[in-house]
Amino acid sequence: MASPTSQGVAASLLATGRTNRLGRDRTTNKKYSNIIVSSSSRSTRPPEKSKVNSKKSNLIGEREDVPPWFPWLPSETQINRLKVVELRAACAERELLTTGKKADLQNRMLIWATVQDRKRVNDRLNGLKNLIRVSKSKDAAAAASGETTGSAVDDAVESYDVGALTNKRKALTKEKKRSRGGSNNRGILGLVDETYFNGTATYIKVEEEEEEEEEIAEDDNSMVNEASINQLSKTFNAPSSNFTNREVSEMYIEARAADQAGNRKRSKAILTQLRAATPNDMRVVRRLSRMESEDGNLAAARSILLQGLEAEPNNAHLLHGVGQLERKAGNDYTAKKYFRRAIKRDPSFPNPYHALGTLEHTHGNIRAALTVIKEGIGNCPQNHRLYHALGDVYLDANMLDLAEESYLAGLQHGPHWSKSFSYTSLSFVSYALGHTRDSRTLLRQSLEVNGGMHAQGVIALAQLEESEGDVEESREVYRDAILRYEKKRRKRSPFRSNGSKNGPKKKGGDDGSSFDTSSLVDGQGNSYTRAYAGDKWINVFKSWARMEEIHGTYETAHIVYSKAARLFPNNVDLLIQWAELQAEHGDNDRARLLYEAACHRVGGRTAEPYEKFAMFEMTRKNFVEAQAVLLKGAQAVANLSIEGDGKSGLTLAHLLHTWGVCEYHLGSLARAEQLFDDALRVTGSEEGDSSMRSLVLYSMSRLEFARGEHLLAQHCIGLSLKENLLPGGNSLIWKLWHNIAKKMENEHLATRCKEQALLRWEEERGGKVSDLSRLLGERQRPRDYVAAKSSASSNDDDQRVLPERTGSAMKDVFRKTPWYSKICPPSGRMDKNWYAGAKLWEL
């Protein structure tokens, strides 16, 4: 019971007609709200429960009522709009407890509405299942008796109570139209509904709504018929996937775990099943393609992504993946096109910006790289990799302040594991500024982030010590890092103890000096788990082996290669480098064994180990043995080319060229000519392949010169000069042309060719530095991205990038540590592959 004071206050308010904040009379609003409720009853609320509300009263004497817009099954938003008294009335109407605070009432009402809604959904699903069941039984009975009846379906429709659902939808539609129409009849200030003062308007409107609903109901009845029920039956009985959503999720997790554990065969088998079960899940496509790429099956990886692009041609992730594959295959120009397509399809995807920017940077196109990376930062301002790539460009451009600022921004936005990369890059800035001690401190700090498992930081710190002349300290850095890495790999290995019965037994000591052929050729004796996908620690071993070859001895370098081979037994490049070490020190038997192991490991994925093995035999005048190796390699790579997409061209072209030179030394000139034609046919047509075309044409000129066909030889050498990497060619091209001109008795041409040969020879004595100066002197106007993006902001004369053939040869110049020139002096040649192939004629 309310107190006398409360009752007095309520009576005073009712007598004086106090208003609310909107200026409308509270009692007047009650009056007109009652008129609206009486004129259009709430069809969604049971009529027998409306009496409950009339018996309730609040503490101050006001009669509780539920707003007319409040449905029988309200949403959470609608419940929160009610006042306390309205909540009590709504609870009483639904026979719920009306005690408690506002939050208790809201929670009670929300629970009730949730339970009722679920019950309604279950009732509808049960009714739908009954319809389908009746349809099936009717079809079976009709097939048995040959008659068609509709009584069963009609009974099912009646049991489903379509009329009740239609009436309920009509009531909801009325309520929505009334709520929309009421706002249109407001006065000038929008405070009072003008239909309140026109009693007939509401009734006329309700009658019009009922007529409209009757027309809709007549149309709706035609929807529930035999055809619709049969269609529903087919839909529910359509064949589904063999796996549930939960099973698909578990399979994906299992595939990832198998990949991380090194069981790549099982991981790919599970991903293949997932691809068949979920053909529209592009995550599976990308992951399967990545694994094929890491195993060296570029053709299979490309085929998987291209099939995914047929289903989703605008998928930026797939376009970026194809671009990465093309870049790995050496088709840089094609890779750039895919990266630009990915950027166009999804400007908020940061990976193609990073890939395209770093590729332009690697090719020496600093302006293009800055344009792409800055655009990526504008669209993805929180991506730490873009800031890191921007800092790398500024560092190579010697803009140290901007580089440091970019690295610090990447350090701020990146996750914890990325801090090691930022600290390493900041150490490069400190070294460039002359602060060697700060650089060393930052590198050691980078190794503390992830427990020392930062391969790039290990290499940088060891090479810094090597550049300062402290080889012992550098060796100590390598040794400590490798011990941590071996411990981590051994910790998750299935082979636990050294004396295990099933475990492998070492023939030598722990120093790794033993030469275990079984671990190389047969895959036995590996006491560690397989390396993670994309494991970069192989670069640590290669850097350590390089240092030992320069500052150490043959034995120390051999030990490093032995350790690396046990941890990375399938790494073909490592086996080739180890074989070259043996050949350099005269151990031909070990070199052959390692070359055979490399060919065994690579299968038919690439022709490089076969070509290296053949060149090793050719330099020792073993042309017949080299011919057998080349034949085997050509068969393996040709089979892969036929099974894949036919783009294994570059390595196959190198192998065919080497084979042609070998046939020349064996005296088979016709066979050599055919092989050179085949090599030129499989060579790509992009600018990046021009160096290979130049080499093949040079060899064709040598062959025609040996035959005495001087005019054809001159034609081929001219084409070779045009396709050559370096502007103006090299000394070997001009030397051959000089000999051809002398045979043709063209003294003037011979003299000019001799002058050019001497000039190029003098330039080549400077090594990579001279080659780079010649390349930078040749520029051409951009044809694509840079011109499109910056034409509005700068002059065309300033927009110049290096040719594609030049960019592909400058990968060893940019994106190096500041002390790289000290430990790896640029004494080599930028076109060393061309010279290696041309020197085969001198054997």
Side-chain angles (χ1 to χ4, degrees):
M1 294 295 294
S3 63
T5 303
S6 301
Q7 293 178 355
V9 172
S12 175
L13 289 174
L14 291 173
T16 56
R18 294 286 299 274
T19 59
N20 56 12
R21 285 183 296 179
L22 294 178
R24 285 177 289 179
D25 194 308
R26 192 180 299 271
T27 58
T28 304
N29 289 339
K30 288 285 184 178
K31 174 181 176 182
Y32 291 122
S33 64
N34 293 336
I35 293 175
I36 296 175
V37 172
S38 62
S39 62
S40 59
S41 61
R42 301 167 67 196
S43 60
T44 59
R45 182 178 286 107
E48 64 273 9
K49 295 185 180 180
S50 60
K51 298 179 181 180
V52 179
N53 191 37
S54 60
K55 298 178 181 179
K56 302 292 179 179
S57 61
N58 56 18
L59 297 178
I60 60 175
E62 291 182 333
R63 185 172 61 85
E64 298 173 351
D65 196 6
V66 181
W69 53 264
F70 193 71
W72 181 249
L73 286 179
S75 64
E76 183 178 3
T77 304
Q78 293 170 333
I79 293 173
N80 294 334
R81 289 176 59 186
L82 296 183
K83 300 178 181 179
V84 177
V85 292
E86 294 171 343
L87 283 170
R88 295 184 190 278
C91 291
E93 192 177 45
R94 292 158 180 79
E95 297 183 352
L96 301 175
L97 293 177
T98 59
T99 59
K101 298 181 180 180
K102 183 177 181 179
D104 298 333
L105 296 172
Q106 290 175 341
N107 188 34
R108 190 176 301 138
M109 178 64 69
L110 181 61
I111 294 174
W112 179 87
T114 303
V115 173
Q116 294 297 320
D117 184 66
R118 291 179 179 176
K119 182 179 178 182
R120 179 185 61 179
V121 172
N122 291 332
D123 293 341
R124 290 185 177 181
L125 289 176
N126 292 332
L128 190 58
K129 291 179 182 179
N130 292 332
L131 278 175
I132 296 171
R133 192 180 303 110
V134 170
S135 176
K136 287 183 178 180
S137 61
K138 180 184 76 73
D139 293 340
S145 61
E147 299 178 356
T148 57
T149 58
S151 59
V153 178
D154 295 337
D155 295 339
V157 172
E158 290 178 0
S159 64
Y160 191 51
D161 198 5
V162 178
L165 291 176
T166 304
N167 293 333
K168 187 169 185 179
R169 192 169 66 82
K170 287 168 59 178
L172 293 174
T173 305
K174 287 180 184 179
E175 199 68 36
K176 289 180 180 179
K177 288 187 176 182
R178 183 179 296 110
S179 62
R180 290 195 301 264
S183 60
N184 295 332
N185 295 323
R186 296 288 179 179
I188 297 177
L189 298 178
L191 299 178
V192 180
D193 194 338
E194 295 177 357
T195 59
Y196 291 166
F197 303 99
N198 186 3
T200 60
T202 303
Y203 297 100
I204 295 173
K205 187 173 183 179
V206 170
E207 291 176 359
E208 293 176 353
E209 291 174 354
E210 290 176 351
E211 292 176 358
E212 293 176 0
E213 291 297 333
E214 288 176 359
E215 295 176 357
I216 295 174
E218 291 177 358
D219 297 335
D220 289 345
N221 290 334
S222 64
M223 297 173 60
V224 184
N225 51 28
E226 185 176 355
S228 63
I229 294 174
N230 290 334
Q231 183 63 32
L232 283 173
S233 177
K234 293 179 181 179
T235 302
F236 272 79
N237 291 284
S240 59
S241 174
N242 296 328
F243 305 97
T244 64
N245 292 338
R246 181 176 181 181
E247 290 174 341
V248 168
S249 178
E250 291 176 351
M251 289 172 64
Y252 191 83
I253 295 173
E254 185 179 358
R256 184 171 57 185
D259 183 16
Q260 293 178 350
N263 193 351
R264 301 178 64 81
K265 184 177 181 180
R266 173 170 174 75
S267 179
K268 287 196 287 188
I270 298 173
L271 289 174
T272 303
Q273 291 181 343
L274 277 173
R275 189 184 178 194
T278 57
N280 296 324
D281 190 354
M282 294 300 126
R283 296 180 307 164
V284 179
V285 174
R286 298 199 308 269
R287 193 172 188 87
L288 187 58
S289 174
R290 179 184 60 80
M291 294 190 68
E292 293 289 353
S293 174
E294 290 170 351
D295 291 341
N297 304 322
L298 295 183
R302 185 187 290 109
S303 177
I304 292 171
L305 288 179
L306 292 179
Q307 290 177 7
L309 281 176
E310 291 179 359
E312 295 187 16
N314 296 328
N315 192 302
H317 292 80
L318 296 182
L319 292 170
H320 173 259
V322 178
Q324 293 285 52
L325 286 179
E326 295 293 346
R327 179 179 183 178
K328 188 174 183 179
N331 304 324
D332 292 343
Y333 184 72
T334 305
K336 291 179 182 180
K337 292 193 296 185
Y338 276 104
F339 291 147
R340 294 182 189 115
R341 285 180 59 188
I343 291 172
K344 183 178 180 181
R345 298 305 180 189
D346 187 3
S348 62
F349 184 37
N351 291 10
Y353 293 106
H354 183 271
L356 181 58
T358 53
L359 184 57
E360 295 287 6
H361 180 197
T362 304
H363 287 182
N365 301 324
I366 302 298
R367 181 188 295 272
L370 287 175
T371 303
V372 174
I373 297 174
K374 287 183 178 180
E375 181 184 356
I377 292 176
N379 292 323
C380 312
Q382 302 296 324
N383 189 270
H384 65 98
R385 297 181 71 230
L386 291 176
Y387 287 104
H388 194 275
L390 182 63
D392 290 342
V393 178
Y394 283 138
L395 182 63
D396 275 341
N398 203 29
M399 302 178 182
L400 302 181
D401 293 339
L402 294 176
E404 183 179 16
E405 182 180 349
S406 300
Y407 290 140
L408 291 175
L411 184 65
Q412 177 183 359
H413 294 291
H416 177 74
W417 60 265
S418 68
K419 293 182 179 180
S420 56
F421 295 92
S422 299
Y423 290 141
T424 302
S425 299
L426 287 171
S427 71
F428 299 161
V429 178
S430 297
Y431 186 88
L433 292 173
H435 306 151
T436 305
R437 181 178 298 178
D438 294 342
S439 177
R440 186 181 290 107
T441 302
L442 287 168
L443 287 173
R444 295 194 179 278
Q445 188 175 0
S446 70
L447 297 180
E448 296 176 359
V449 175
N450 296 320
M453 293 294 103
H454 179 44
Q456 181 181 342
V458 172
I459 296 173
L461 180 58
Q463 291 183 354
L464 172 62
E465 300 295 350
E466 181 185 356
S467 66
E468 295 297 315
D470 196 345
V471 178
E472 288 299 326
E473 182 64 25
S474 177
R475 186 178 288 116
E476 189 69 22
V477 172
Y478 283 125
R479 185 182 294 112
D480 292 343
I482 294 302
L483 286 175
R484 288 194 300 267
Y485 180 72
E486 287 180 331
K487 182 179 179 181
K488 184 178 180 180
R489 288 281 298 276
R490 192 182 297 112
K491 186 177 181 180
R492 53 188 177 92
S493 172
F495 307 101
R496 297 301 301 165
S497 61
N498 293 332
S500 175
K501 294 181 180 181
N502 299 326
K505 295 181 180 180
K506 297 182 179 180
K507 294 183 179 181
D510 294 336
D511 59 352
S513 60
S514 62
F515 193 75
D516 189 1
T517 59
S518 63
S519 66
L520 296 176
V521 181
D522 300 328
Q524 304 294 328
N526 186 7
S527 59
Y528 303 94
T529 56
R530 298 179 184 177
Y532 285 127
D535 196 335
K536 302 299 183 183
W537 277 83
I538 182 63
N539 298 325
V540 179
F541 285 96
K542 290 180 179 179
S543 179
W544 188 7
R546 177 205 54 78
M547 188 197 73
E548 295 296 344
E549 289 183 33
I550 298 175
H551 302 286
T553 62
Y554 161 76
E555 289 75 12
T556 57
H558 178 69
I559 291 173
V560 175
Y561 279 118
S562 300
K563 287 179 175 291
R566 287 200 298 269
L567 287 162
F568 301 92
N570 296 322
N571 192 282
V572 177
D573 293 335
L574 179 68
L575 296 177
I576 292 175
Q577 293 180 14
W578 195 2
E580 291 173 350
L581 174 69
Q582 307 300 329
E584 182 180 353
H585 288 84
D587 197 338
N588 295 333
D589 293 336
R590 286 186 174 181
R592 287 190 180 92
L593 181 62
L594 287 164
Y595 278 124
E596 290 175 358
C599 295
H600 176 76
R601 294 297 186 204
V602 78
R605 294 194 299 268
T606 178
E608 183 182 4
Y610 297 99
E611 183 198 2
K612 297 288 187 182
F613 192 9
M615 293 176 67
F616 165 79
E617 297 290 359
M618 290 173 65
T619 54
R620 285 152 183 80
K621 308 296 182 180
N622 301 324
F623 296 108
V624 177
E625 291 79 359
Q627 184 186 43
V629 173
L630 291 167
L631 175 60
K632 184 178 180 181
Q635 290 174 346
V637 179
N639 291 335
L640 176 66
S641 178
I642 294 173
E643 295 172 0
D645 59 350
K647 286 190 176 181
S648 57
L650 192 58
T651 57
L652 180 59
H654 277 284
L655 184 139
L656 292 174
H657 171 265
T658 304
W659 193 358
V661 179
C662 181
E663 292 291 345
Y664 166 79
H665 287 294
L666 290 173
S668 180
L669 301 186
R671 181 63 174 158
E673 180 183 8
Q674 181 63 40
L675 288 168
F676 290 147
D677 289 340
D678 292 339
L680 194 60
R681 188 177 299 110
V682 300
T683 303
S685 58
E686 296 185 358
E687 282 197 62
D689 302 318
S690 63
S691 180
M692 186 65 219
R693 293 195 296 269
S694 175
L695 175 60
V696 175
L697 289 167
Y698 173 83
S699 296
M700 294 174 73
S701 178
R702 288 289 299 256
L703 180 63
E704 297 299 338
F705 180 71
R707 285 176 166 179
E709 298 289 344
H710 301 140
L711 189 61
L712 286 176
Q714 182 173 250
H715 174 71
C716 292
I717 199 64
L719 293 176
S720 176
L721 178 63
K722 177 180 179 296
E723 295 284 351
N724 194 252
L725 168 68
L726 297 173
N730 54 50
S731 59
L732 291 182
I733 291 178
W734 289 108
K735 182 180 179 181
L736 177 58
W737 202 344
H738 165 73
N739 295 333
I740 295 172
K742 285 185 64 177
K743 290 292 183 181
M744 296 176 67
E745 298 181 354
N746 191 340
E747 295 297 333
H748 176 71
L749 179 60
T751 303
R752 297 297 302 272
C753 291
K754 184 177 181 180
E755 292 174 357
Q756 289 293 324
L758 292 174
L759 176 62
R760 300 308 175 193
W761 182 75
E762 289 291 338
E763 291 177 343
E764 290 166 3
R765 294 176 63 185
K768 289 184 179 180
V769 176
S770 177
D771 293 345
L772 180 60
S773 64
R774 292 173 61 189
L775 289 173
L776 294 177
E778 291 291 323
R779 306 265 183 161
Q780 70 178 15
R781 296 181 184 274
R783 296 173 296 180
D784 36 32
Y785 190 85
V786 182
K789 289 295 179 183
S790 57
S791 58
S793 59
S794 60
N795 297 326
D796 290 341
D797 294 337
D798 296 332
Q799 301 169 22
R800 298 179 183 272
V801 296
L802 292 172
E804 192 68 28
R805 69 178 71 177
T806 300
S808 61
M810 297 181 67
K811 296 179 181 179
D812 295 334
V813 178
F814 291 95
R815 304 189 68 197
K816 301 295 182 181
T817 58
W819 47 81
Y820 181 81
S821 59
K822 291 185 178 180
I823 59 176
C824 299
S827 58
R829 300 186 52 83
M830 296 189 69
D831 55 348
K832 55 184 178 181
N833 292 330
W834 192 99
Y835 260 79
K839 286 295 184 180
L840 293 175
W841 289 92
E842 308 297 334
L843 298 177

